[in-house]
């Protein structure tokens, strides 16, 4: 191209700056980048060299995530101090987006790991592969297995209140949403699954009585400003894995209580249910996987 050329056609600008002609026409239409000269006879657009620099600034600011209206203000109306303030505001916004995306990425990876482990267990369970202490139903089928387990110390976010006329067969969806909203509000990372803890007598949650219900989720870190935080100490437990619909989980509870008596353990705290694979994960009830946790000594 001739170095003495004063003006550049829209095609020249498109090629040099790698901006589509359609975009340049739109910038002209909204008065963001109006050509320096327009031929009155042909209506051809011509741009000055200075406007290529302006277009570079527009492209850069657009790449930063600014809207075209914000770019117009920064390019034509803002002093450098105001531009710095806008850039600082954008940087802070991006920091929050990055944190949110990192939290989402963490949650997705955790969900993948949890569901893979659940799937592996269901595969082994279906073959009775190495699982002892299997729980038998009256029809001879199996719906879980029992073992002792050391539950580690865990930070938790929780809520606890009475649910009236409680029915264990139904998932407490509203309480689940509530706990995850708390986690989001305080920018915490979940490190486990929803756990329901019944602060009533044994099996009372199945009797349609008022239920002192705690809903909790383990979290990675502590926010001292969060009023819903607690430290759950380590303890020994008898755990029973229940496979299938929650409507039949009472059978696994009863089997676990019988096992505790047979092995001379004593119950030392409220019973919990940990939802490893739940109705919010899959629709097929045969793939539900719930761990019953009974503290013992």
């Amino acid at each position: 191209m001739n170095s003495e050329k004063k003006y550049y056609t829209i095609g020249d600008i498109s090629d040099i700056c790698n901006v589509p002609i359609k975009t340049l026409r739109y910038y002209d239409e909204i008065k963001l980048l109006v050509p320096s000269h327009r031929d009155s006879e042909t209506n051809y657009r011509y741009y000055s060299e200075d406007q290529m620099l302006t277009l570079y600034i527009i492209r850069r600011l657009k790449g930063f995530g600014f809207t075209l209206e914000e770019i117009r203000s920064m390019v034509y109306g803002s002093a450098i101090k105001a531009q710095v303030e806008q850039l600082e505001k954008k940087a802070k916004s991006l920091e929050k987006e990055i944190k949110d995306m990192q939290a989402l990425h963490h949650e997705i990876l955790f969900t993948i790991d949890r569901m893979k482990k659940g799937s592996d267990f269901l595969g082994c369970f279906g073959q009775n592969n190495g699982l002892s202490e299997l729980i038998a139903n009256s029809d001879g089928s199996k719906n879980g297995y029992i073992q002792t387990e050391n539950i580690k110390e865990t930070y938790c976010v929780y809520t606890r209140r009475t649910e009236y006329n409680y029915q264990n067969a139904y998932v407490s969806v509203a309480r689940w949403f509530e706990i995850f909203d708390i986690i989001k509000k305080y920018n915490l990372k979940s490190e486990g699954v929803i756990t329901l803890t019944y602060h009533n007598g044994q099996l009372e949650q199945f009797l349609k009585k008022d239920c002192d219900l705690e809903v909790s989720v383990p979290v990675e870190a502590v926010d001292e400003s969060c009023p819903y935080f607690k430290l759950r100490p380590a303890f020994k437990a008898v755990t029973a894995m229940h496979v299938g619909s929650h409507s039949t989980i009472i059978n696994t509870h009863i089997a676990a209580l019988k096992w505790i008596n047979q092995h001379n353990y004593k119950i030392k705290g409220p019973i919990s249910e940990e939802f490893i694979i739940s109705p919010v994960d899959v629709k097929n009830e045969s793939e539900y996987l719930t761990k019953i946790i009974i503290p013992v000594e």
Side-chain angles (χ1 to χ4, degrees):
M1 179 180 295
N2 188 340
S3 60
E4 296 180 357
K5 185 174 181 180
K6 187 175 181 179
Y7 292 107
Y8 299 86
T9 67
I10 192 170
D12 292 335
I13 294 292
S14 177
D15 291 339
I16 295 169
C17 301
N18 195 26
V19 176
I21 290 177
K22 183 178 179 181
T23 300
L24 292 170
R25 286 173 176 161
Y26 180 66
Y27 287 172
D28 182 11
E29 180 183 337
I30 64 172
K31 310 300 182 187
L32 179 60
L33 186 67
V34 179
S36 293
H37 176 72
R38 191 187 302 267
D39 190 295
S40 58
E41 295 182 1
T42 63
N43 205 34
Y44 285 173
R45 299 169 173 87
Y46 292 95
Y47 296 83
S48 68
E49 193 163 3
D50 287 346
Q51 287 188 300
M52 281 197 287
L53 295 175
T54 302
L55 183 57
Y56 176 83
I57 295 171
I58 291 170
R59 283 189 59 191
R60 185 183 60 178
L61 294 175
K62 192 168 184 289
F64 288 166
F66 288 103
T67 66
L68 294 181
E69 192 58 41
E70 289 171 331
I71 292 171
R72 184 202 311 279
S73 174
M74 294 175 73
V75 171
Y76 298 110
S78 297
I80 187 168
K81 183 177 179 181
Q83 289 193 37
V84 169
E85 290 175 354
Q86 286 285 86
L87 289 168
E88 288 176 339
K89 183 179 178 182
K90 175 60 68 174
K92 288 180 180 179
S93 174
L94 288 173
E95 284 176 8
K96 184 180 184 305
E97 288 181 25
I98 290 169
K99 287 181 180 179
D100 290 344
M101 292 301 292
Q102 287 175 335
L104 179 60
H105 182 251
H106 172 85
E107 185 176 347
I108 291 173
L109 290 179
F110 176 81
T111 301
I112 291 170
D113 182 65
R114 171 174 59 83
M115 296 189 75
K116 277 185 175 180
K117 288 178 179 177
S119 177
D120 290 344
F121 174 87
L122 292 171
C124 293
F125 181 81
Q127 303 167 20
N128 291 350
N129 184 12
L131 300 178
S132 59
E133 302 286 356
L134 287 167
I135 302 170
N137 296 320
S138 58
D139 62 2
S141 64
K142 305 293 189 297
N143 71 342
Y145 85 104
I146 302 173
Q147 66 175 2
T148 57
E149 190 174 341
N150 291 317
I151 307 299
K152 67 180 182 179
E153 179 181 87
T154 311
Y155 296 119
C156 292
V157 167
Y158 78 103
T159 61
R160 178 178 172 180
R161 62 175 177 270
T162 299
E163 294 289 337
Y164 298 98
N165 194 31
Y166 184 74
Q167 297 185 54
N168 183 269
Y170 297 103
V171 176
S172 303
V173 177
R175 297 287 299 273
W176 290 31
F177 276 113
E178 178 187 33
I179 204 75
F180 283 117
D181 283 344
I182 291 170
I183 290 172
K184 183 176 181 180
K185 177 181 178 180
Y186 290 93
N187 296 313
L188 301 172
K189 288 184 179 180
S190 60
E191 286 291 306
V193 296
I194 282 281
T195 298
L196 305 185
T197 301
Y198 306 100
H199 294 273
N200 289 49
Q202 295 171 18
L203 304 180
E204 284 191 2
Q205 68 269 30
F206 298 102
L207 303 179
K208 295 186 179 180
K209 299 175 66 175
D210 295 346
C211 180
D212 183 358
L213 179 65
E214 177 183 319
V215 181
S216 64
V217 173
V219 291
E220 180 184 62
V222 184
D223 186 332
E224 297 295 342
S225 67
C226 178
Y228 307 99
F229 166 79
K230 73 174 182 177
L231 175 64
R232 184 182 70 188
F235 61 94
K236 184 176 183 179
V238 168
T239 62
M241 300 294 288
H242 175 77
V243 177
S245 171
H246 211 63
S247 63
T248 61
I249 199 171
I250 187 173
N251 299 326
T252 309
H253 274 268
I254 292 171
L257 294 173
K258 287 181 178 178
W259 192 94
I260 288 171
N261 289 331
Q262 290 168 359
H263 290 78
N264 298 316
Y265 286 107
K266 291 183 180 179
I267 298 175
K268 196 184 176 181
I271 298 173
S272 300
E273 293 172 353
E274 183 179 278
F275 287 75
I276 299 172
I277 305 293
S278 74
V280 300
D281 295 311
V282 296
K283 292 295 184 183
N284 185 357
E285 289 188 348
S286 67
E287 294 182 322
Y288 294 173
L289 185 59
T290 311
K291 179 192 283 189
I292 298 168
I293 304 172
I294 307 176
V296 296
E297 59 179 359

